[in-house]
Amino acid sequence: MAAYLRRQLLGQTFTGTPVEVVEAVAGLNAQTPRAPSAGLWTRLASFDQDDLDRALRSYLLVKANLMRGTVHMVTRRQYVTWRLSLQPMLERTVNGFCPGLWRTVDHDKLLRRGARLLREHDGLTRAEISAELGQEFPLSEPRQLGFAVRMLLPVVQVADDVSWRPARSRYILAEQAFDDVAGSRPESPARASGSTTSGAAVHDQEAENGEVRPANARFSPLDHEPETPGQSGELLPAPQGLPDLVRSFLRAFGPASNADASYWSGVSRLAPVLTSVGTPSVGRPAESTGPARGTWYDATQHIDEEPRRCYVLPEYDNVYFCRKGSESPLVSAKKRLVGPVGHMTGSLVSAGEVCAQWKWTVGAGTVTLTPWRDLDTDEATEFERFRAWCSTIDAATTRRR
């Protein structure tokens, strides 16, 4: 079984908060609206949808285009620490999806106008951003203008009252989101839940390269004092943020190679950072069946927990995007989970291998399972447990809307 799965809270015994989970696993993919909820349910001993919604509404958790240019849910600390280190990758993403855009509009002028537009509103949809910018820059394709602004400015999604049933995505600058709650910063989930972990306790071990190591697996970086870098809402410069991004990846998915770190993050040329923040080892992790791929790096993990035999993973879960090669059975199964137009289904995993895939039944509040083989009793039971949870949450959120 892949060693990194011990770091992904798949034993479902963790009793922390959604914020702590997201911090420990280096963010959760949020390309589909319900994926974060499913990702938390499969990792927490007891998951309450209301806890997630409160964290999102207070912007302790945010959704934004980050790693690989895709939508992720990360903690506020992770966002302000990582965002600028991802800027060059996001620039390349825009150049790839919007060829010729910068021949029709000035890069800096567009971003200045986009920032001003967002500050004038409490949230705009993709269509609204594109339409407004299209009027001012008529020589450019409006959708490309909107895409560039959403990718290249520090933008986050406006939090919905009920994230399980979101409205059309709206966007604001991160500074707007964080400023809105700065004057009335809510009690951190760790304190609200009665956790005894304190800001002083989590600083009890300093690594040689300056990293702060948790005192235990329930460590919550958001329990720091407000003056801690990354907590005030001000974006950290890339030279400070990139080491934290890479270290977080290693803690959640190590041991891993340079190619793996780049594949997960979308950031190239990470070897110097890996060398500075990771512990190198030559060879290959136990789950790798292919040839050795140079040096592997690791860092002290937040979590070390034996995964349960059967568990559900949501669409685009990052366990499928943490390895560049296909040596891991999970990573090699990704090709089958991705449909012809690039949409990825959820999966049912047993003993480290995919045994079925599933997808939401749009508008029906149910999930449909497609087995890859005959399922045994434990596998079928685990999926039925997930299906029942989905139905319960769907019914509860329907009544609330």
Side-chain angles (χ1 to χ4, degrees):
M1 182 178 294
Y4 65 83
L5 293 178
R6 297 185 62 90
R7 308 178 182 203
Q8 286 292 305
L9 293 170
L10 295 171
Q12 208 176 42
T13 64
F14 190 65
T15 58
T17 66
V19 172
E20 290 175 304
V21 172
V22 173
E23 184 71 39
V25 302
L28 288 174
N29 193 288
Q31 286 176 254
T32 62
R34 299 177 181 180
S37 296
L40 289 168
W41 175 85
T42 204
R43 289 173 165 90
L44 278 167
S46 178
F47 169 60
D48 187 335
Q49 179 68 31
D50 289 341
D51 289 343
L52 171 60
D53 290 338
R54 280 191 293 269
L56 286 167
R57 289 195 300 268
S58 62
Y59 294 102
L60 290 174
L61 292 172
V62 297
K63 295 180 181 179
N65 290 83
L66 295 169
M67 286 75 77
R68 307 183 300 280
T70 59
V71 181
H72 277 73
M73 183 174 74
V74 297
T75 67
R76 184 193 305 174
R77 188 205 72 82
Q78 288 170 331
Y79 182 87
V80 300
T81 303
W82 299 351
R83 176 57 183 79
L84 291 183
S85 66
L86 296 169
Q87 186 71 19
M89 176 272 296
L90 295 172
E91 295 274 2
R92 292 196 304 271
T93 300
V94 170
N95 292 340
F97 279 91
C98 306
L101 174 62
W102 305 126
R103 292 196 293 269
T104 62
V105 63
D106 180 79
H107 176 283
D108 293 348
K109 184 177 181 180
L110 172 62
L111 297 190
R112 284 195 298 270
R113 179 65 187 101
R116 189 165 67 251
L117 173 65
L118 291 170
R119 289 193 185 99
E120 293 169 352
H121 298 83
D122 293 329
L124 294 173
T125 66
R126 296 181 185 186
E128 290 168 341
I129 296 171
S130 298
E132 290 282 348
L133 295 174
Q135 295 179 19
E136 186 158 341
F137 303 100
L139 298 180
S140 302
E141 167 60 46
R143 286 178 297 179
Q144 292 189 354
L145 295 171
F147 180 75
V149 163
R150 288 187 294 105
M151 296 292 284
L152 301 183
L153 288 177
V155 167
V156 301
Q157 292 186 14
V158 176
D160 288 280
D161 288 338
V162 182
S163 60
W164 182 265
R165 291 178 173 273
R168 182 171 296 179
S169 296
R170 295 181 298 133
Y171 302 87
I172 55 176
L173 293 171
E175 67 186 45
Q176 294 173 273
F178 300 152
D179 286 348
D180 283 346
V181 298
S184 56
R185 185 167 180 261
E187 196 173 24
S188 77
R191 290 193 176 109
S193 64
S195 170
T196 58
T197 304
S198 68
V202 300
H203 287 88
D204 61 352
Q205 298 181 53
E206 292 291 334
E208 292 181 357
N209 55 19
E211 68 175 290
V212 179
R213 294 180 178 173
N216 55 57
R218 298 204 60 209
F219 164 70
S220 173
L222 289 179
D223 208 28
H224 291 173
E225 294 303 315
E227 64 269 21
T228 300
Q231 277 301 103
S232 66
E234 182 178 353
L235 302 186
L236 266 65
Q240 293 176 248
L242 190 57
D244 187 271
L245 175 74
V246 173
R247 185 184 300 115
S248 296
F249 167 74
L250 292 177
R251 284 175 164 175
F253 298 105
S257 68
N258 181 20
D260 297 332
S262 291
Y263 182 62
W264 170 80
S265 65
V267 179
S268 58
R269 301 172 182 170
L270 289 176
V273 184
L274 284 161
T275 300
S276 67
V277 304
T279 302
S281 62
V282 178
R284 59 174 181 259
E287 76 269 13
S288 176
T289 58
R293 292 187 286 123
T295 303
W296 295 79
Y297 301 86
D298 205 356
T300 303
Q301 66 265 41
H302 282 303
I303 303 299
D304 185 12
E305 176 183 78
E306 182 70 25
R308 59 197 189 279
R309 176 174 171 258
C310 307
Y311 50 88
V312 171
L313 290 176
E315 314 96 308
Y316 304 101
D317 195 281
N318 277 327
V319 300
Y320 292 105
F321 294 90
C322 65
R323 290 292 181 269
K324 175 63 174 175
S326 59
E327 296 92 347
S328 167
L330 281 183
V331 176
S332 62
K334 180 177 61 178
K335 295 179 180 179
R336 189 172 173 182
L337 294 170
V338 177
V341 294
H343 297 303
M344 186 175 184
T345 66
S347 55
L348 176 64
V349 179
S350 180
E353 298 188 10
V354 177
C355 61
Q357 62 192 101
W358 61 268
K359 63 180 180 180
W360 302 108
T361 303
V362 179
T366 60
V367 289
T368 303
L369 181 69
T370 303
W372 288 9
R373 57 167 173 74
D374 291 337
L375 302 182
D376 63 30
T377 300
D378 290 343
E379 294 161 350
T381 298
E382 176 65 9
F383 188 77
E384 288 307 314
R385 192 170 70 91
F386 174 68
R387 193 200 303 270
W389 170 77
C390 290
S391 297
T392 299
I393 296 297
D394 204 73
T397 54
T398 298
R399 291 193 296 270
R400 290 168 56 184
R401 285 183 65 87

